[in-house]
C-alpha cells in the first residue's frame, strides 16, 4: 500500500515470470535495495555484498541458465 516509508511498489523486472525465472534484470528496482541481515551468499551461492538485492538471487550481470535445466 506504500504506507511504509521504505516500501517499494513497482515491477521487480524479473527475467521471466512465465518460465519462471526470478533473476533480476539490470534495471530492477530490487537491485541494491535490500537490508543486510547477515547472509553471506544467495540461493545459488553467489556472494551477497553489504547492500543486498531484494529476492533470492543476487544480480550478477551474467546470463543465467533457465531454471530447472542443468548445464554441464
Amino acid at each position: 500500500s506504500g504506507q511504509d516509508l521504505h516500501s517499494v511498489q513497482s515491477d521487480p523486472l524479473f527475467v521471466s515470470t512465465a518460465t519462471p525465472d526470478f533473476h533480476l534484470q539490470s534495471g530492477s528496482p530490487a537491485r541494491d535495495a535490500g537490508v543486510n541481515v547477515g547472509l553471506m551468499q544467495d540461493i545459488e551461492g553467489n556472494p551477497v555484498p553489504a547492500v543486498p538485492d531484494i529476492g533470492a538471487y543476487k544480480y550478477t550481470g551474467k546470463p543465467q541458465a533457465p531454471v530447472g535445466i542443468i548445464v554441464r
Side-chain angles (χ1 to χ4, degrees):
S1 67
Q3 296 174 2
D4 183 313
L5 177 63
H6 302 287
S7 291
V8 177
Q9 289 186 310
S10 60
D11 182 347
L13 297 178
F14 294 131
V15 170
S16 171
T17 56
T19 331
D21 183 347
F22 297 112
H23 290 91
L24 302 175
Q25 295 182 47
S26 63
S28 172
R31 287 185 56 202
D32 300 329
V35 174
N36 187 339
V37 294
L39 296 176
M40 302 303 291
Q41 59 188 15
D42 72 3
I43 197 167
E44 295 178 312
N46 296 308
V48 174
V51 181
D53 296 339
I54 296 173
Y57 302 104
K58 173 65 186 150
Y59 176 78
T60 62
K62 296 183 268 184
Q64 302 295 326
V67 175
I69 296 176
I70 299 172
V71 178
R72 294 181 191 222

